[in-house]
Amino acid sequence: MTADRREAINQYIQSRGEVRLKELEQRYTDVSSMTLRRDLEFLERQGRIVRIRGGAKSLAHLSMLKEAAYTQRQVANTDAKLVIADKAIRLLSPGRSVYIDSGTTCMCFAQRLPDQNLFVLTPAPNIALELVKNANVKINLTGGQLNRETLTLSGFNAIEYVKALNIDLAFVAASAFSLPNGFTCGDYFEAELKRLIIRKARQVVILMDASKLNSNMPYTFARLQNIYALVSDILLPDEYQKAARQAHVLLL
Amino acid sequence: MTADRREAINQYIQSRGEVRLKELEQRYTDVSSMTLRRDLEFLERQGRIVRIRGGAKSLAHLSMLKEAAYTQRQVANTDAKLVIADKAIRLLSPGRSVYIDSGTTCMCFAQRLPDQNLFVLTPAPNIALELVKNANVKINLTGGQLNRETLTLSGFNAIEYVKALNIDLAFVAASAFSLPNGFTCGDYFEAELKRLIIRKARQVVILMDASKLNSNMPYTFARLQNIYALVSDILLPDEYQKAARQAHVLLL
DNA sequence: CAAAAGATGTTAACAATTAACATCTGACAT
DNA sequence: ATGTCAGATGTTAATTGTTAACATCTTTTG
């Protein structure tokens, strides 16, 4: 069916960010390349992708790049972030009240979020906008002052809002982790918010790719014993596994 | 100078949304098309544009399209909104504390906002992200629940935040205006927020294109006598002008 | 001032896109 | 069942845009 194929192609582009016509030709040997071109043309008219020479790109992916350009940050380790996001998704269930932190890892997570009945609180306006496409998700932003580096809201208003809400499950990103200092980040106000979230949430899940291991940032916001699960892209080295076991932390 | 040309090309693309190589060739007759290609390549590497066959597109423009696609809304009356935005910009001065409402008119306004020392409060996450590029603007979001139709935050947290801040100048969008009912909008919570803003702000400026005249939405949030100025794309019909004069409203 | 790095121009080979037309397929009315 | 129609698909040639490689010019830097 035409519509199905187009949907599948769109999915593929959204998840990979980009596709070459060659790839599609290999994937869909039963239709001609002209048909695939027409599919891309169709999706472009829908405003879901942009065609580039030799293929097409996802708009969502492009806006992530745009943010990266603004914040002078590159989207590093995309594969790792996808792995983490997919593992973390499994911890969800419908009807929950969840907190989704800011950062590119959490953005990946948000993009993968199934469209089920959820209450979401986030301090990241870009993540909030990403979630608009999930019709069943109630989206709440903390409010506060926007840090243009991290695209994160923080400050007294954020704090007040979090205090007033109940969170089942908090997905929190960490900029760095080491055994002596625990989970750390680089902004005082963001650390303050994270600490509050971690105190208030029933279960805390840290999302962190392995490149953050054994490094430190100025502000500690959590230790192993404060969290429920730690989701990473690879199996952690032995010493970390041991520490996690001692602290009864689920490793994913 | 190379950098200047590239900057100019980028500006051009950002303002028009898209450019053909042909256009650039006509505009820059003193350099070869290969150089212009390389300029586009450069800008693409910076993540500011995407190259498409025969030219390039602005990322910012693409994300607007994306939003439009999500919200099923078309960006109508773009020209009118640009006229309004440019008129409204003149009311600004550095150091002010301003409120910028949600909606496409306000988005245009935000895109045109000069990069000067300003404190901005907005209930629109997309506008907040747009302002990230203005390094001198302090961006504050109200927080609250996100309405996925209007991309507007509202609710108790938004209200609390606004109560706590002082606003010099509020730029408020109106969905409809009629003499009997005044300025109206379609969402109860958004009307509530607008009313509060209008009470608290020192000066209130309504941004509204002429297509909204003589129509009504369920919730009235202001009357002519509550506002300082009304910015529209064209000269209003006589009866409105007369009413505005009586209420001492500046018409722009 | 010379060397190096960067920007620009020219060309030819290459690759992707378009347009036009032919063909197929499924839905629908008869 | 059959004819008809619209939309989807396939094929090809002509067009157009892109890349790569190299030569030349300009600017920066030691």
Side-chain angles (χ1 to χ4, degrees):
Chain A
M1 184 84 181
T2 314
D4 291 344
R5 189 189 54 244
R6 288 180 177 169
E7 217 32 65
I9 291 175
N10 182 42
Q11 285 298 323
Y12 185 73
I13 299 174
Q14 298 309 328
S15 71
R16 303 275 254 82
E18 189 176 334
V19 80
R20 313 259 95 207
L21 200 65
K22 298 273 183 203
E23 285 179 65
L24 290 177
E25 284 169 14
Q26 286 171 5
R27 234 179 157 75
Y28 297 92
T29 46
D30 52 338
V31 294
S32 79
S33 77
M34 197 59 223
T35 300
L36 296 169
R37 274 172 201 294
R38 284 173 181 134
D39 290 344
L40 296 182
E41 197 187 343
F42 172 85
L43 292 171
E44 185 175 43
R45 257 205 304 276
Q46 305 254 309
R48 308 208 267 182
I49 63 172
V50 228
R51 279 192 304 161
I52 54 171
R53 185 184 164 85
K57 286 187 171 187
S58 137
L59 272 189
H61 196 254
L62 287 173
S63 3
M64 282 186 64
L65 288 178
K66 182 186 158 199
E67 284 150 21
Y70 278 156
T71 60
Q72 329 299 335
R73 223 186 311 125
Q74 298 304 316
V75 178
N77 257 331
T78 313
D79 290 345
K81 291 180 206 306
L82 282 174
V83 171
I84 293 173
D86 285 338
K87 286 183 185 171
I89 289 292
R90 294 194 215 118
L91 298 170
L92 278 171
S93 53
R96 289 302 176 82
S97 152
V98 309
Y99 171 85
I100 301 179
D101 209 359
S102 62
T104 47
T105 308
C106 290
M107 175 53 114
C108 270
F109 177 72
Q111 287 172 336
R112 298 282 176 136
L113 203 70
D115 186 8
Q116 57 191 206
N117 174 27
L118 288 172
F119 176 97
V120 170
L121 174 68
T122 176
N126 51 346
I127 288 179
L129 288 176
E130 181 61 35
L131 292 174
V132 166
K133 65 175 199 294
N134 295 26
N136 297 300
V137 173
K138 269 208 162 55
I139 310 161
N140 281 66
L141 265 166
T142 60
Q145 180 149 333
L146 184 64
N147 178 328
R148 50 167 50 74
E149 301 300 320
T150 59
L151 298 183
T152 306
L153 298 163
S154 57
F156 90 92
N157 188 61
I159 299 281
E160 290 305 314
Y161 201 17
V162 171
K163 278 188 186 159
L165 295 174
N166 298 314
I167 301 292
D168 289 327
L169 205 51
F171 295 91
V172 178
S175 305
F177 176 62
S178 68
L179 289 176
N181 295 321
F183 299 99
T184 52
C185 75
D187 184 281
Y188 175 80
F189 297 102
E190 289 172 26
E192 191 182 14
L193 186 61
K194 281 179 208 266
R195 270 186 227 115
L196 175 61
I197 283 288
I198 287 164
R199 213 166 57 235
K200 286 223 43 166
R202 218 154 50 85
Q203 293 183 319
V204 175
V205 179
I206 300 272
L207 308 183
M208 185 187 72
D209 64 80
S211 71
K212 311 284 173 63
L213 279 176
N214 204 21
S215 61
N216 298 286
M217 297 287 267
Y219 305 100
T220 295
F221 61 84
R223 310 217 158 246
L224 275 175
Q225 49 270 28
N226 304 322
I227 71 170
Y228 164 70
L230 172 55
V231 183
S232 188
D233 49 326
I234 57 165
L235 217 60
L236 299 190
D238 276 348
E239 61 178 314
Y240 292 100
Q241 290 207 30
K242 203 170 136 232
R245 248 194 318 275
Q246 277 176 2
H248 305 291
V249 170
L250 182 62
L251 284 183
L252 293 177
Chain B
M1 184 82 181
T2 312
D4 291 344
R5 187 187 57 245
R6 288 181 176 168
E7 215 36 62
I9 290 175
N10 182 43
Q11 286 298 324
Y12 185 74
I13 299 174
Q14 298 310 328
S15 68
R16 303 277 254 80
E18 188 176 334
V19 80
R20 313 259 96 209
L21 201 65
K22 299 272 183 204
E23 286 180 63
L24 290 177
E25 284 169 14
Q26 286 170 7
R27 233 181 158 76
Y28 296 92
T29 45
D30 53 338
V31 294
S32 78
S33 80
M34 198 57 225
T35 300
L36 296 169
R37 273 172 201 294
R38 288 196 258 247
D39 290 344
L40 295 182
E41 198 187 343
F42 172 85
L43 292 170
E44 185 176 42
R45 257 204 304 276
Q46 305 255 308
R48 309 209 266 182
I49 63 174
V50 231
R51 278 191 303 161
I52 55 172
R53 186 184 163 86
K57 285 187 170 185
S58 137
L59 270 190
H61 195 254
L62 288 173
S63 5
M64 280 186 67
L65 288 178
K66 183 186 155 197
E67 282 152 23
Y70 278 154
T71 59
Q72 328 297 338
R73 223 185 313 125
Q74 298 306 316
V75 178
N77 255 332
T78 314
D79 291 346
K81 290 180 206 305
L82 281 175
V83 171
I84 293 173
D86 285 337
K87 284 183 186 172
I89 289 292
R90 295 194 215 116
L91 298 170
L92 277 171
S93 52
R96 289 301 177 83
S97 153
V98 310
Y99 172 85
I100 301 179
D101 208 0
S102 62
T104 47
T105 309
C106 289
M107 176 53 117
C108 269
F109 178 71
Q111 287 170 337
R112 300 262 160 160
L113 203 70
D115 186 8
Q116 57 190 204
N117 175 26
L118 288 172
F119 177 99
V120 170
L121 175 67
T122 177
N126 51 347
I127 288 179
L129 289 176
E130 181 62 35
L131 292 174
V132 164
K133 64 174 200 294
N134 296 24
N136 297 301
V137 174
K138 269 209 162 55
I139 310 161
N140 280 66
L141 265 164
T142 60
Q145 181 150 331
L146 184 64
N147 178 328
R148 51 165 50 73
E149 301 302 320
T150 59
L151 298 183
T152 306
L153 298 164
S154 58
F156 89 92
N157 188 60
I159 299 280
E160 290 305 314
Y161 201 17
V162 171
K163 277 187 186 159
L165 294 174
N166 298 314
I167 301 292
D168 290 328
L169 206 50
F171 295 92
V172 178
S175 304
F177 176 62
S178 68
L179 288 177
N181 295 320
F183 299 98
T184 53
C185 76
D187 184 279
Y188 175 80
F189 297 102
E190 288 172 28
E192 191 183 12
L193 186 62
K194 282 181 209 267
R195 272 186 225 113
L196 175 61
I197 284 289
I198 286 163
R199 213 165 58 234
K200 285 224 41 164
R202 217 154 51 85
Q203 294 182 319
V204 175
V205 179
I206 300 270
L207 308 183
M208 184 186 74
D209 64 82
S211 71
K212 312 284 173 63
L213 279 176
N214 203 22
S215 61
N216 297 286
M217 297 286 268
Y219 306 100
T220 296
F221 62 84
R223 308 213 160 251
L224 274 175
Q225 49 272 29
N226 303 322
I227 71 170
Y228 164 71
L230 171 55
V231 183
S232 189
D233 49 327
I234 56 165
L235 216 60
L236 298 192
D238 276 348
E239 61 178 312
Y240 293 101
Q241 289 207 30
K242 200 168 139 236
R245 245 194 321 275
Q246 277 176 1
H248 305 292
V249 170
L250 182 62
L251 283 184
L252 292 178

